[in-house]
Amino acid sequence: MLNGERLISRPIRWAMVGGGRTGQVGYKHRTGALRDNTAFELVAGAFDIDAERGKDFGVNIGVPENRCYPDYQTMFAEEADREDGIDVVSIATPNATHYDICKAALEADLHVICEKPLFFTTEEAQFIKELAEEKGKIVGVTYGFSGHQLLLQMRAMIEQGKIGDVRVVDLQYTHGFCATDEGDQKNDAQKWRVDPKVAGPSFVLGDLSTHTYYMSQLILPHMKIKKLLCDRQSFVGSRAPLEDNAHVLMHYDNGAVGTMWTSSINAGCMDAQRIRIVGSKASLEWWDSRPNELRYEVQGEPVQTMIRAMPYLDESCNADERLGALHAEGLSESWANIYLKFAMAIDAKDRGDKETLKNLVYPDIDTGLEGVRWVENCVRSADQGAVWVDFE
Ligand code: NAI
């Protein structure tokens, strides 16, 4: 169980690019990283594309004025000259900027934590992976839901054979907030999501399904997709060629099959993300709107609801427990768990502790690369007319 005590030698000096006053995701990063105050300290930032607003925001949240920078290039250069300069930077900016900022950060000898979808192409992701290796740095990816502990319970139970052989992987990440084009006109964060120059080759496949795809990999680390078929649509026509709805069929290397439904036009949907794994004996099902509950359905027996923080859960799951039984945890705890693992990975990397790094399960550059690969394959299939393609 976690109680905020220090797990690394000193808090890591942390900066953000983006995630400022108007940014949607910035606060999630801060609630995650600063949860324990023994993992990270926020000492600098280039928080906003608007330098003045960024500085005003930074000062407001307690960052020294002289370390609120007008842009990331200035921040990396000036922080490099300080004895107490930053160790790591989080990138919480629109998709098209991730690659350049990530590359510049690694070249400035910084660890990186970057938003998903990581980049536009697997070539970019491969290049960054190699650069990070050369520089001895980690690149973490903020798949923000993946810190919910019950996902590790699913992983452990499947590994222990509790559902038998995996047959069906049923994934869904949908919502209805883009059922019309209203937000595309009025909401800055939505405008760029449907512009291929900023969002990349996809809308919901990159924006939503990369999360769920990563979680399926976390739960099923030994299963790989062999081929897939993706059918994507732009129900709001002005979004074309970017999709606001997609269905994907998958074939896995062990004979299992899977589906992913990802959509932003699922009108009325408030129960967004679902993972159901069907085995030969039983199934497991988890929803992100009820993250403290895991359904375990054994064929022929009453359905069991497993509850977070209970002693019957696997050790790997309860290791990330924070609030204890009777008290609900949520997305903030999930982010805190991920950020704590980033801190431990950075600390281990700096100390050359390969053993810790080998055993630490967190969304790293390989998972970021895999997310880019997922989108690339889905788009390739869809754009050939929804045909089966080998997963390359
Ligand atoms: P947003 O449009 O709401 O905010 C973007 C922020 O970046 C703004 O503060 C803007 O001023 C700043 N910015 C843009 N260019 C910049 C630059 N060159 N230098 C400094 N600041 C810059 O976007 P949102 O929704 O916060 O998304 C940002 C990223 O986070 C995207 O990649 C998105 O896919 C991802 N995201 C991830 C979520 C998760 O759960 N992990 C949830 C929401 C978004």
Side-chain angles (χ1 to χ4, degrees):
M1 181 151 177
L2 301 167
N3 64 2
E5 276 193 79
R6 182 165 295 182
L7 299 176
I8 55 175
S9 54
R10 64 164 174 85
I12 290 162
R13 292 187 292 269
W14 177 54
M16 293 189 75
V17 182
R21 182 169 291 143
T22 60
Q24 286 194 142
V25 81
Y27 184 61
K28 295 185 180 70
H29 285 259
R30 290 184 289 279
T31 53
L34 304 177
R35 176 61 171 265
D36 294 331
N37 97 15
T38 49
F40 291 93
E41 50 178 340
L42 181 60
V43 297
F47 295 102
D48 205 304
I49 191 74
D50 178 326
E52 270 315 301
R53 190 172 57 187
K55 182 191 264 191
D56 190 59
F57 174 78
V59 169
N60 188 284
I61 62 168
V63 176
E65 187 171 350
N66 63 336
R67 296 177 85 175
C68 294
Y69 297 96
D71 52 64
Y72 70 86
Q73 293 93 335
T74 310
M75 176 162 78
F76 296 164
E78 293 197 12
E79 287 290 317
D81 289 339
R82 297 180 66 107
E83 268 192 19
D84 63 350
I86 54 175
D87 303 302
V88 59
V89 64
S90 286
I91 302 169
T93 53
N95 305 352
T97 61
H98 294 175
Y99 176 75
D100 286 345
I101 304 174
C102 196
K103 181 165 173 285
L106 288 169
E107 283 167 354
D109 289 316
L110 297 171
H111 296 281
V112 179
I113 296 165
C114 188
E115 267 304 342
K116 46 46 64 180
L118 196 54
F119 309 127
F120 287 6
T121 67
T122 45
E123 284 75 23
E124 289 171 339
Q126 191 59 41
F127 176 83
I128 291 294
K129 179 178 152 87
E130 283 160 25
L131 183 59
E133 270 161 21
E134 184 192 315
K135 292 285 188 176
K137 301 294 167 189
I138 72 133
V139 177
V141 184
T142 39
Y143 292 120
F145 305 93
S146 64
H148 285 298
Q149 296 99 290
L150 286 174
L151 299 171
L152 293 176
Q153 178 66 19
M154 294 173 86
R155 175 178 164 119
M157 287 177 72
I158 292 166
E159 180 69 29
Q160 291 155 11
K162 296 277 170 50
I163 67 167
D165 296 331
V166 175
R167 290 175 169 171
V168 179
V169 179
D170 184 15
L171 307 172
Q172 176 182 332
Y173 190 174
T174 67
H175 63 72
F177 287 98
C178 305
T180 70
D181 71 348
E182 199 184 332
D184 300 15
Q185 316 293 335
K186 293 189 186 150
N187 175 339
D188 285 343
Q190 176 54 22
K191 270 184 209 162
W192 68 253
R193 278 175 165 76
V194 291
D195 176 355
K197 288 196 292 303
V198 191
S202 73
F203 170 22
V204 291
L205 284 162
D207 201 41
L208 304 178
S209 82
T210 48
H211 282 290
T212 331
Y213 177 59
Y214 169 62
M215 288 192 276
S216 72
Q217 292 184 290
L218 177 66
I219 295 166
L220 301 163
H222 305 302
M223 276 173 52
K224 302 278 169 260
I225 297 178
K226 239 176 38 177
K227 49 193 200 166
L228 62 72
L229 178 155
C230 174
D231 193 15
R232 64 170 181 165
Q233 299 79 31
S234 318
F235 279 105
V236 173
S238 55
R239 291 176 185 151
L242 300 192
E243 77 294 336
D244 48 26
N245 186 80
H247 290 90
V248 189
L249 295 176
M250 290 96 84
H251 281 182
Y252 290 87
D253 55 0
N254 67 340
V257 296
T259 54
M260 168 83 77
W261 178 29
T262 185
S263 182
S264 63
I265 53 96
N266 184 10
C269 166
M270 301 300 289
D271 232 4
Q273 209 166 183
R274 182 177 73 109
I275 300 179
R276 181 175 176 86
I277 313 292
V278 178
S280 51
K281 297 194 294 204
S283 300
L284 287 166
E285 183 165 316
W286 178 88
W287 288 85
D288 74 350
S289 53
R290 294 188 288 281
N292 295 268
E293 298 176 7
L294 173 63
R295 281 170 68 94
Y296 180 39
E297 305 167 10
V298 182
Q299 179 58 33
E301 294 182 18
V303 171
Q304 295 178 48
T305 303
M306 307 179 89
I307 304 292
R308 212 205 79 249
M310 294 302 289
Y312 53 70
L313 297 174
D314 193 76
E315 210 179 304
S316 61
C317 166
N318 280 344
D320 286 351
E321 180 51 44
R322 287 169 184 270
L323 301 185
L326 273 184
H327 307 294
E329 288 193 4
L331 191 58
S332 298
E333 282 77 22
S334 174
W335 277 78
N337 289 341
I338 297 165
Y339 257 97
L340 184 58
K341 286 179 187 164
F342 292 149
M344 291 168 78
I346 291 168
D347 179 67
K349 192 81 179 170
D350 287 349
R351 288 184 295 104
D353 178 352
K354 291 192 178 134
E355 198 55 26
T356 297
L357 282 170
K358 201 174 80 194
N359 295 319
L360 204 58
V361 178
Y362 74 101
D364 59 8
I365 180 68
D366 288 316
T367 70
L369 195 155
E370 193 59 23
V372 177
R373 193 192 306 284
W374 159 258
V375 173
E376 242 176 26
N377 278 277
C378 288
V379 169
R380 189 160 54 86
S381 162
D383 290 356
Q384 287 175 48
V387 297
W388 283 100
V389 294
D390 289 336
F391 195 74
E392 289 171 354

